[in-house]
Amino acid sequence: MKLQEFQAKEILKKYGLPIQAGGVAATAAEAEIIALKIGLPVVLKAQVLVGGRGKAGGVKIARTPEEVKTISAQILGMKIKDLPVKKILIAGAVDFEKEYYLGITLDRVSKSNVLIFSEEGGVEIEEVARTNPDKISKYEILNPKQIQNLKFEIPNDFIEKLYDLYVKNDATLAEINPLVSTKDGRFIALDAKMVIDDNALFRQPEFAKLRESTEVDELEAEAGRRKIAYVRLPGSIAILGNGAGLVMTTMDEVKRAGGEPACFLDLGGGSKAETVASCLELLTRDPNIKGIFFNVFGGITRCDEVVNGIIAAHDKAGVKVPMVIRLTGTREEEGKKLLAQTNFLTYAASMTEGAKKIVELSR
Ligand code: GDP
Ligand code: MN
């Protein structure tokens, strides 16, 4: 999960990295109160989870209370890369001398944490990376003691603290761009970006709570609480299978048959009837679903368990849309016998056939 700039900066502060005084507002009036408390000039910054806010006009300096109000209202009315700006950060403006880039990220190729540093930080960093890659240094950090030997223009304890917070918060990215130096020799983090590893949320309760409270889709949030691997999609055909690869292939097949997936739902290996029933019950809450396609490859998962789960949920949750099932593997015959006794499950002998059937039935 990505953190907003103000959230990432709170973490920086906690770990002893200097940031500007600041506060978050949702209205121009709130912004003015905060600005007067901090002292003018201030920088007003759109809080959206995309980069390049500066270039899009989402970062502006205000020198008077009037400017704070007009610029805040303007930024709060903006969309940046399709995301509406709902909050702004008001921070004390800094008069800086030089902008640096400092980041630590997980590099999947070298399988290590990589430190990235540049003396040419700021909004043009991508341009620097493209046209002047020598200006960007990369170091694999295998042991944090390595940091002591670095000879950059910024203090090493800055890097040590960033590394510390990166590790302790299970981040896959911790980036400061720009990290600025001032005429009187101080260093301040003017912007911060952090990404937390979703797979670590079980041991990062604060982020898990944050995620819960900012989750936009109610169904995805509920699926998360039930530990169901579910992604809501804009189409009308729900797709369930056991195993992420199988579900993705099924989505392709449904698209090929002219349908649009309403979700990705991985039942998981060895799923019991109750799990299947819980998944199906969840889907009845999505009014856009016009048909449901189960693609079951029995291995650890037993075909008859899945069918039993569907029957239980159908009776209890009242599924009103057509359902097609393709099943093969462990206890296939038992599964088929069960579904022959129902009048709401259509059998398909292959994935391709099933995809065609569900597209037809849900028209
Ligand atoms: P981004 O465009 O989303 O990366 O947003 P940043 O927070 O990095 O801001 C973009 C640029 O605005 C920075 O590179 C700075 O040049 C400038 N900027 C941001 N904060 C301040 C500030 O307090 N004072 C001044 N003078 N410039 C700032
Ligand atoms: Mn930035």
Side-chain angles (χ1 to χ4, degrees):
M1 69 183 282
K2 289 181 186 174
L3 301 187
Q4 299 279 6
E5 174 190 5
F6 74 91
Q7 294 160 337
K9 278 183 167 169
E10 271 165 30
I11 299 173
L12 259 52
K13 190 175 166 189
K14 203 168 116 191
Y15 281 75
L17 291 168
I19 58 166
Q20 306 128 286
V24 180
T27 64
E30 275 170 35
E32 191 188 3
I33 296 169
I34 295 170
L36 293 176
K37 216 184 279 169
I38 297 170
L40 295 162
V42 291
V43 54
L44 303 168
K45 313 182 75 177
Q47 297 299 287
V48 280
L49 296 174
V50 288
R53 295 166 306 165
K55 284 189 173 176
V59 177
K60 294 229 164 95
I61 290 184
R63 293 168 207 285
T64 64
E66 279 62 46
E67 276 183 14
V68 172
K69 273 189 287 191
T70 50
I71 298 172
S72 298
Q74 183 203 337
I75 296 179
L76 283 166
M78 273 175 74
K79 269 189 177 179
I80 300 181
K81 296 181 187 162
D82 276 345
L83 293 176
V85 180
K86 292 184 182 147
K87 281 183 181 157
I88 48 173
L89 170 66
I90 300 96
V94 174
D95 193 11
F96 60 78
E97 200 161 58
K98 194 163 169 182
E99 295 183 282
Y100 300 91
Y101 176 102
L102 175 66
I104 301 172
T105 188
L106 177 69
D107 178 38
R108 288 168 204 280
V109 177
S110 64
K111 300 190 180 82
S112 62
N113 295 318
V114 173
L115 172 73
I116 305 166
F117 176 77
S118 177
E119 283 175 25
E120 301 203 359
V123 294
E124 298 297 341
I125 191 73
E126 269 108 16
E127 183 68 10
V128 175
R130 221 162 38 81
T131 57
N132 228 341
D134 305 350
K135 296 277 181 192
I136 297 177
S137 324
K138 289 186 184 178
Y139 289 86
E140 284 175 22
I141 308 184
L142 303 170
N143 178 340
K145 289 212 173 75
Q146 275 172 267
I147 295 170
Q148 295 167 4
N149 303 323
L150 295 172
K151 293 198 168 52
F152 294 145
E153 280 183 21
I154 60 166
N156 282 6
D157 75 302
F158 235 90
I159 308 173
E160 278 161 6
K161 285 170 184 164
L162 189 70
Y163 183 79
D164 192 32
L165 73 88
Y166 170 89
V167 171
K168 295 210 173 111
N169 289 284
D170 283 309
T172 54
L173 173 74
E175 180 190 273
I176 305 175
N177 183 38
L179 165 60
V180 298
S181 60
T182 61
K183 286 203 179 68
D184 53 356
R186 289 175 304 130
F187 288 86
I188 306 166
L190 285 204
D191 186 16
K193 233 183 234 156
M194 273 182 82
V195 178
I196 308 298
D197 186 346
D198 286 336
N199 294 310
L201 290 183
F202 74 95
R203 61 182 189 194
Q204 296 289 351
E206 274 181 38
F207 296 132
K209 227 167 71 195
L210 188 67
R211 160 108 161 214
E212 177 80 2
S213 66
T214 52
E215 198 74 71
V216 275
D217 188 278
E218 188 38 48
L219 277 187
E220 287 189 355
E222 178 57 24
R225 285 189 282 273
R226 297 189 195 182
K227 308 218 178 327
I228 299 172
Y230 164 85
V231 182
R232 195 172 189 174
L233 298 165
S236 63
I237 297 175
I239 294 159
L240 298 84
N242 54 321
L246 181 66
V247 179
M248 285 199 277
T249 309
T250 314
M251 287 167 61
D252 288 345
E253 206 59 44
V254 166
K255 279 209 129 191
R256 235 171 255 140
E260 287 295 331
C263 72
F264 164 104
L265 199 160
D266 179 5
L267 295 164
S271 33
K272 293 278 172 230
E274 299 107 77
T275 314
V276 178
S278 169
C279 292
L280 202 48
E281 190 279 322
L282 188 77
L283 296 186
T284 58
R285 303 181 190 196
D286 181 353
N288 296 328
I289 294 178
K290 302 278 180 284
I292 302 174
F293 182 24
F294 293 88
N295 192 0
V296 184
F297 188 83
I300 311 169
T301 304
R302 290 169 36 169
C303 291
D304 56 339
E305 277 281 344
V306 176
V307 179
N308 269 328
I310 299 172
I311 293 171
H314 179 268
D315 294 350
K316 217 168 97 200
V319 183
K320 294 190 179 69
V321 296
M323 294 195 277
V324 171
I325 184 166
R326 174 258 187 171
L327 73 179
T328 186
T330 310
R331 293 179 74 89
E332 176 179 335
E333 289 314 314
E334 288 83 346
K336 276 190 202 159
K337 261 181 217 146
L338 283 171
L339 72 92
Q341 292 161 24
T342 71
N343 56 3
F344 54 82
L345 263 175
T346 305
Y347 172 75
S350 72
M351 168 159 63
T352 311
E353 185 191 313
K356 282 186 188 138
K357 276 188 175 164
I358 194 62
V359 170
E360 215 141 89
L361 287 170
S362 59
R363 271 213 178 101

